[in-house]
Amino acid sequence: VPLIVGPSEAAVDLAGRLEAGGFLIPAIRPPTVPRGQARLRLSLCSGHRPEDIDRLLAVLDRLLPGQSGS
């Protein structure tokens, strides 16, 4: 699941902050994606529990205030 961040530096920073919180979510940057469209690649699997996803969403909400639309 792609999460478009924008600038490469912002994607790398966010990936590092997520890793510090226990999530391994790689930043995908140019030349793999167009410049200005760096993103995080979230990969979900059947081993993830609903609580894992809830925790990720809570961390993303904290790190990206005003981005969730809620």
Side-chain angles (χ1 to χ4, degrees), residues 8-34:
S8 294
E9 298 80 15
V12 170
D13 178 64
L14 183 55
R17 292 164 63 192
L18 286 164
E19 187 172 1
F23 297 99
L24 183 58
I25 301 174
I28 310 302
R29 301 169 285 157
T32 305
V33 297

Side-chain angles (χ1 to χ4, degrees), residues 38-50:
R39 61 201 67 195
L40 300 184
R41 181 174 291 151
L42 292 91
S43 298
L44 304 174
C45 71
S46 62
H48 290 111
R49 301 167 300 175

Side-chain angles (χ1 to χ4, degrees), residues 3-4 7 11 13 16 19 21 27 29 34 40 55-56 58 62-63:
L3 174 62
I4 308 288
D13 178 64
E19 187 172 1
R29 301 169 285 157
L40 300 184
R55 190 168 72 88
L56 172 62
R62 191 183 80 231
L63 294 176

